[in-house]
């Protein structure tokens, strides 16, 4: 969405509270011609689609707290007639660290074929973030030599 090559157009859309934060809302639209969003359905080719939606930006900290988007103008013959998503972000402290990171905390995806009355909704909650680490030791040791293999004697 924020890649310049998408040519996304943003327009102010008002203010709102999200949780305990004051936010500024922007509506956006990404045209199909510059979109990188792909849609894939069973027994149908993958297509690139334009999309539009809204983002909520923390008015004080200037952090994106929510992105909602929906696919625009799907071909009439395509099995998917609707594709939407919403992702919520928040500052999360990783276990064992005193530093917070802006990370997704919840995501919802809806895909539908209204003609067949098929609706799929996935709801994800992201919890228990933690830092993964390891210790690596590089040893400058020549490879062990192996004795040559002798052919069997008959």
């Amino acid at each position: 969405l924020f890649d310049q090559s998408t040519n996304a157009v943003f327009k102010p859309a008002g203010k709102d509270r999200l949780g305990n934060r004051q936010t500024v809302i922007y509506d956006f639209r990404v045209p199909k011609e510059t979109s990188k969003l792909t849609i894939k359905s069973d027994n149908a080719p993958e297509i690139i689609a334009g999309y539009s939606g809204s983002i909520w930006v923390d008015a004080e900290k200037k952090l994106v707290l929510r992105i909602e988007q929906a696919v625009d103008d799907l071909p009439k013959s395509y099995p998917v007639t609707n594709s939407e998503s919403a992702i919520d972000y928040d500052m999360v402290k990783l276990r064992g660290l005193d530093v917070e990171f802006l990370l997704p905390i919840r995501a919802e995806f809806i895909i539908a074929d209204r003609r067949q009355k098929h609706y799929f909704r996935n709801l994800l909650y992201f919890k228990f973030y933690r830092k993964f680490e390891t210790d690596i030791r590089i040893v400058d040791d020549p490879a062990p030599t192996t004795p040559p293999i002798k052919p069997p004697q008959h």
Side-chain angles (χ1 to χ4, degrees), residues 1-3 5-8 28-41 45-53 67-75 78 80-87 108-111:
L1 172 62
F2 298 109
D3 184 338
S5 66
T6 64
N7 292 329
F28 65 86
R29 183 171 181 80
V30 175
K32 178 181 177 180
E33 298 75 34
T34 55
S35 176
K36 296 176 184 167
L37 179 67
T38 58
I39 305 293
K40 175 71 174 114
S41 178
E46 182 176 86
I47 62 171
I48 294 178
Y51 57 101
S52 58
I67 301 175
E68 290 182 356
Q69 69 183 38
V71 173
D72 298 329
D73 303 324
L74 286 166
Y78 202 71
V80 174
T81 59
N82 187 42
S83 177
E84 301 175 15
S85 66
I87 303 173
E108 181 177 14
F109 302 94
I110 298 171
I111 296 180

Side-chain angles (χ1 to χ4, degrees), residues 24-134:
V24 179
I25 303 170
Y26 294 91
D27 289 341
F28 65 86
R29 183 171 181 80
V30 175
K32 178 181 177 180
E33 298 75 34
T34 55
S35 176
K36 296 176 184 167
L37 179 67
T38 58
I39 305 293
K40 175 71 174 114
S41 178
D42 292 340
N43 304 319
E46 182 176 86
I47 62 171
I48 294 178
Y51 57 101
S52 58
S54 301
I55 62 170
W56 282 254
V57 179
D58 184 304
E60 180 186 337
K61 296 183 179 181
K62 311 299 186 234
L63 300 171
V64 173
L65 299 178
R66 182 175 179 84
I67 301 175
E68 290 182 356
Q69 69 183 38
V71 173
D72 298 329
D73 303 324
L74 286 166
K76 300 284 185 221
S77 62
Y78 202 71
V80 174
T81 59
N82 187 42
S83 177
E84 301 175 15
S85 66
I87 303 173
D88 293 318
Y89 298 86
D90 203 355
M91 297 304 293
V92 177
K93 191 179 287 189
L94 271 60
R95 286 189 193 173
L97 296 177
D98 288 332
V99 180
E100 289 185 328
F101 297 89
L102 184 66
L103 296 169
I105 58 167
R106 181 185 176 277
E108 181 177 14
F109 302 94
I110 298 171
I111 296 180
D113 180 350
R114 286 188 290 274
R115 295 174 299 239
Q116 299 292 322
K117 296 185 180 170
H118 291 162
Y119 296 88
F120 302 94
R121 177 178 179 242
N122 290 322
L123 187 58
L124 306 168
Y125 290 94
F126 300 91
K127 296 180 177 184
F128 308 117
Y129 281 109
R130 60 184 178 265
K131 177 183 174 188
F132 287 93
E133 61 186 341
T134 185

Side-chain angles (χ1 to χ4, degrees), residues 2-18:
F2 298 109
D3 184 338
Q4 281 187 332
S5 66
T6 64
N7 292 329
V9 175
F10 294 88
K11 294 181 182 177
K15 297 179 180 181
D16 194 9
R17 290 196 72 76
L18 196 59

